[in-house]
C-alpha cells in the first residue's frame, strides 16, 4: 500500500451534520491510514473562521478547515448528511457548500452519505447518473435531481466516480468500498474487522439487511424459529422441526410466522440463503460455489431464488462486486 504521497480525503460538513455520518466513514479512513494506507482525512465546512460547526447532537466541531480553493486532482470529497435532511441543503451554509461543489466537484471522485446527495444534486453533480439516498429522502432527491436516475432500497450506488449512499451504516459500507477500490480489498477487510463491522455490503445490496427484516415484532416463539434459521440458513429446515423448536404445531407456526414477520417461513429462509450467496459472490466465489455455500443443490436453484428475492442476476452481482 502506498504511504506517500497521501491522498486527501475531504469530509464536507453541512450545518447540523449527523455526527455518525461523518465519524463512521472518517474512522474507517483513519484506521486505514494507521494501517499504512496513503490517506489523509481532512475536514471542511462553510463557516466563519474560528466558528464551530453545529452538529445533530448540539455539539460544535472545531479545528475545521475552510473549503480549499483547489483540492488536489486525486482528492476524494465526501459530503456528509445533516439533521433536518432536505432543509440543510437550503440553509446558508448548505448553499455555500453547493456552490463550492459546483465549482470543484466536476470530474472528481465524489461520495455522498445520506442527505449529502441533496447537496450534490443542488450542485448539478448527479445529472445523468444513477444515485440513491436515505429511504425517507428518495422523493426529495428525485425533485432535486430530475435528470438523475434515483434508485431506492440501495446501500450505495456508484456511477462514473460519483458515489451516493443511504443512511449512517451505509456510509461506513461506502467508506469500506472506497478503501477497497483506492487501496486494496484486503485492507478494507482489515479495517472492517478493526471496526467490528459484520460484513461489507456491495453496491446493489438492499438497504435493509435480510438478517434484520421481519424481526420487528414481539412474538418470542417466532423469534426462536428465526434465530434457528439465521444460525444455519444453509441447512434444510422441515416445517415440523421448526414448529418443534417454537413449541407449536406446523399450522400455528405457519400462521404466526406470517403475522409476525410479514412473510412465509419459506420466503424468510430463502432470503437468508440469498444473503449467504451474496456474501460468497462478493468474495469472488463462482455462482456454483455460492449456491453450495447457501445450501442449494445447484446454481440453477440459486438463480430461481435470486429472481424472486433479489434484482439482476448472481453473475452480475459477482461482476459488480469484483
Amino acid at each position: 500500500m502506498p504511504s506517500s504521497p497521501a491522498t486527501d480525503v475531504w469530509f464536507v460538513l453541512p450545518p447540523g451534520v449527523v455526527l455518525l455520518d461523518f465519524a463512521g466513514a472518517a474512522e474507517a479512513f483513519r484506521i486505514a491510514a494507521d494501517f499504512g494506507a496513503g490517506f489523509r482525512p481532512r475536514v471542511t465546512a462553510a463557516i466563519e473562521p474560528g466558528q464551530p460547526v453545529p452538529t445533530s447532537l448540539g455539539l460544535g466541531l472545531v479545528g475545521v478547515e475552510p473549503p480549499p480553493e483547489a483540492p488536489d486532482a486525486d482528492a476524494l470529497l465526501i459530503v456528509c448528511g445533516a439533521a433536518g435532511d432536505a432543509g440543510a441543503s437550503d440553509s446558508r451554509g448548505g448553499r455555500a457548500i453547493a456552490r463550492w461543489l459546483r465549482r470543484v466537484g466536476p470530474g472528481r471522485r465524489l461520495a455522498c452519505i445520506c442527505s449529502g446527495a441533496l447537496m450534490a444534486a443542488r450542485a448539478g453533480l448527479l445529472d445523468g447518473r444513477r444515485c440513491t439516498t436515505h429511504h425517507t429522502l428518495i422523493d426529495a432527491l428525485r425533485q432535486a435531481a430530475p435528470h438523475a436516475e434515483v434508485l431506492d432500497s440501495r446501500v450505495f450506488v456508484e456511477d462514473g466516480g460519483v458515489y451516493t449512499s443511504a443512511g449512517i451504516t451505509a456510509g461506513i459500507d461506502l467508506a469500506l468500498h472506497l478503501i477497497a477500490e483506492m487501496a486494496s480489498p484486503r485492507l478494507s477487510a482489515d479495517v472492517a474487522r478493526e471496526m467490528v463491522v459484520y460484513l461489507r455490503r456491495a453496491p446493489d445490496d438492499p438497504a435493509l439487511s435480510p438478517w434484520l427484516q421481519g424481526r420487528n415484532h414481539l412474538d418470542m416463539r417466532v423469534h426462536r424459529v428465526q434465530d434457528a434459521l439465521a444460525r444455519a440458513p444453509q441447512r434444510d429446515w422441515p416445517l415440523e422441526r421448526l414448529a418443534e423448536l417454537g413449541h407449536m404445531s406446523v399450522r400455528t407456526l405457519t400462521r404466526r410466522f406470517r403475522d409476525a414477520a410479514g412473510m412465509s417461513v419459506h420466503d424468510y429462509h430463502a432470503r437468508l440463503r440469498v444473503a449467504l450467496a451474496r456474501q460468497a459472490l462478493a468474495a469472488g466465489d463462482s455462482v456454483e460455489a455460492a449456491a453450495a455455500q447457501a445450501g442449494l443443490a445447484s446454481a440453477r436453484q440459486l438463480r430461481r431464488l435470486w429472481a424472486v428475492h433479489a434484482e439482476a442476476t448472481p453473475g452480475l452481482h459477482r461482476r459488480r462486486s469484483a
Side-chain angles (χ1 to χ4, degrees):
M1 293 176 292
S3 57
S4 180
T7 298
D8 286 333
V9 181
W10 285 99
F11 288 89
V12 184
L13 309 187
V17 60
V18 174
L19 278 175
L20 198 50
D21 274 5
F22 160 52
E27 280 297 311
F29 278 96
R30 180 195 65 79
I31 292 167
D34 286 348
F35 285 168
F39 296 124
R40 181 169 50 228
R42 304 180 71 175
V43 186
T44 186
I47 56 172
E48 295 296 326
Q51 292 298 307
V53 178
T55 70
S56 59
L57 295 180
L59 303 174
L61 296 179
V62 297
V64 177
E65 302 179 59
E69 184 65 25
D72 291 344
D74 64 345
L76 167 64
L77 308 182
I78 300 181
V79 186
C80 301
D85 301 323
S89 64
D90 293 325
S91 66
R92 180 179 178 182
R95 293 194 298 271
I97 288 173
R99 290 193 297 271
W100 179 74
L101 289 172
R102 188 179 299 117
R103 182 173 61 81
V104 305
R108 191 183 301 279
R109 196 190 300 255
L110 171 72
C112 303
I113 299 173
C114 197
S115 62
L118 294 171
M119 295 193 182
R122 179 183 282 275
L125 299 178
L126 301 184
D127 290 348
R129 299 187 185 278
R130 300 164 70 247
C131 57
T132 195
T133 187
H134 191 273
H135 62 89
T136 62
L137 298 173
I138 290 293
D139 289 341
L141 183 57
R142 287 185 174 129
Q143 292 177 11
H147 302 297
E149 181 183 356
V150 180
L151 305 177
D152 55 16
S153 190
R154 292 295 190 279
V155 176
F156 60 89
V157 173
E158 187 274 332
D159 190 334
V162 175
Y163 306 75
T164 49
S165 74
I168 289 169
T169 59
I172 297 174
D173 291 317
L174 176 54
L176 293 170
H177 179 78
L178 288 164
I179 291 167
E181 278 196 347
M182 299 173 70
S184 76
R186 179 174 180 178
L187 173 65
S188 178
D190 289 342
V191 172
R193 188 177 303 111
E194 180 72 11
M195 295 180 73
V196 199
V197 174
Y198 172 55
L199 279 171
R200 184 167 58 90
R201 292 176 284 184
D204 61 344
D205 281 351
L208 295 178
S209 167
W211 307 102
L212 300 179
Q213 284 180 316
R215 300 302 296 257
N216 188 25
H217 62 84
L218 299 177
D219 192 322
M220 297 312 297
R221 292 187 180 186
V222 173
H223 276 305
R224 191 178 296 118
V225 171
Q226 290 175 307
D227 288 343
L229 289 168
R231 281 194 296 268
Q234 73 280 5
R235 285 181 51 183
D236 290 327
W237 285 97
L239 281 175
E240 293 77 8
R241 174 56 181 153
L242 293 173
E244 180 183 332
L245 290 173
H247 304 294
M248 49 190 151
S249 68
V250 169
R251 182 176 179 179
T252 300
L253 167 64
T254 301
R255 174 179 56 80
R256 289 179 64 158
F257 196 101
R258 186 177 290 278
D259 288 346
M263 67 188 83
S264 68
V265 178
H266 176 270
D267 283 348
Y268 184 81
H269 190 193
R271 293 184 188 199
L272 295 184
R273 281 181 148 167
V274 169
L276 273 188
R278 280 182 182 276
Q279 295 165 12
L281 293 167
D285 288 349
S286 67
V287 176
E288 291 76 11
Q293 289 203 40
L296 301 172
S298 65
R300 182 179 181 182
Q301 187 179 3
L302 172 58
R303 292 188 181 98
R304 285 202 302 267
L305 283 185
W306 197 282
V308 176
H309 300 288
E311 295 185 2
T313 64
L316 181 58
H317 178 79
R318 183 177 186 274
R319 291 191 293 275
R320 286 176 175 174
S321 303

